[in-house]
Amino acid sequence: MADVHERLELEQSFPKQRDAPTLKRKKLLSSDYVIKKRQPFGTASKRIKDVFVTNKTNFKAQLKKCEKLLNNGMSEVIIHGLGAAVTRACNLALQLREAHYGGIELDIKTSTVSIIDDFEPLNDNLDYETINRNNSAVHIRAFRKFSVSSLKYHEEQKQ
């Protein structure tokens, strides 16, 4: 067993990681600032086949939008969910697959998205602040196992 002096020498030779200097974030009071959240996904790169799921949008409307895209000749739909909407995006993809009787395959990818919050001061003596934070995201690619046009062609040949 090591005595007190040996333990002190060991502690000095192996500094603790917890004692490393950390950056402390200021407390920003919501009464002093207006919070403006930036869009996490680039709206310029939005494609027709992208569906962004939120907790505020009606679930049936989101399902109908995906159905409409797939029925109008789109070969795939990409469903994006961020933060609390991840479970809702997964449910939407599963409902879509069930509605097509297993004719839809799902390719799921998860990621971490950096989000920027802007704090605009209500008083003139305060400064503008921005805070970067990370949030989990899911991107689900729902695509057909087989082409609908090949099924129509196959049915026409049988008749």
Side-chain angles (χ1 to χ4, degrees):
M1 185 168 191
D3 67 354
V4 176
H5 298 290
E6 290 176 4
R7 219 176 339 151
L8 287 175
E9 290 175 12
L10 286 174
E11 286 180 2
Q12 289 173 356
S13 61
F14 297 109
K16 294 179 182 177
Q17 289 287 34
R18 287 183 280 157
D19 294 338
T22 57
L23 205 70
K24 287 196 174 183
R25 186 182 292 177
K26 290 194 281 187
K27 291 249 181 181
L28 301 175
L29 299 174
S30 60
S31 61
D32 295 337
Y33 291 92
V34 173
I35 302 170
K36 302 248 176 149
K37 296 181 179 183
R38 295 186 195 176
Q39 288 292 329
F41 301 111
T43 54
S45 65
K46 184 179 176 187
R47 301 164 293 196
I48 296 171
K49 62 184 176 180
D50 288 330
V51 176
F52 294 94
V53 175
T54 65
N55 284 334
K56 294 180 181 179
T57 310
N58 187 357
F59 186 80
K60 286 186 178 181
Q62 292 171 335
L63 185 61
K64 284 182 182 179
K65 181 178 181 179
C66 292
E67 288 280 347
K68 184 178 176 184
L69 287 171
L70 286 171
N71 291 337
N72 288 341
M74 194 68 63
S75 62
E76 67 180 7
V77 173
I78 301 175
I79 301 167
H80 302 277
L82 181 69
V86 166
T87 56
R88 193 172 182 137
C90 293
N91 286 334
L92 179 65
L94 291 172
Q95 288 290 323
L96 193 62
R97 187 170 84 182
E98 187 177 314
H100 285 268
Y101 303 105
I104 299 261
E105 280 290 318
L106 301 176
D107 180 31
I108 303 167
K109 292 190 177 14
T110 58
S111 66
T112 303
V113 177
S114 179
I115 299 174
I116 301 172
D117 295 333
D118 295 319
F119 288 81
E120 294 182 0
L122 296 174
N123 302 331
D124 290 337
N125 58 353
L126 297 172
D127 292 330
Y128 283 88
E129 298 286 338
T130 59
I131 293 179
N132 294 332
R133 59 187 174 93
N134 293 325
N135 211 342
S136 57
V138 67
H139 313 281
I140 304 169
R141 182 176 156 251
F143 59 96
R144 296 187 187 277
K145 286 184 183 178
F146 42 81
S147 171
V148 175
S149 60
S150 66
L151 284 178
K152 288 179 182 177
Y153 178 74
H154 188 64
E155 287 176 5
E156 290 173 3
Q157 283 186 339
K158 284 184 177 180
Q159 293 175 357

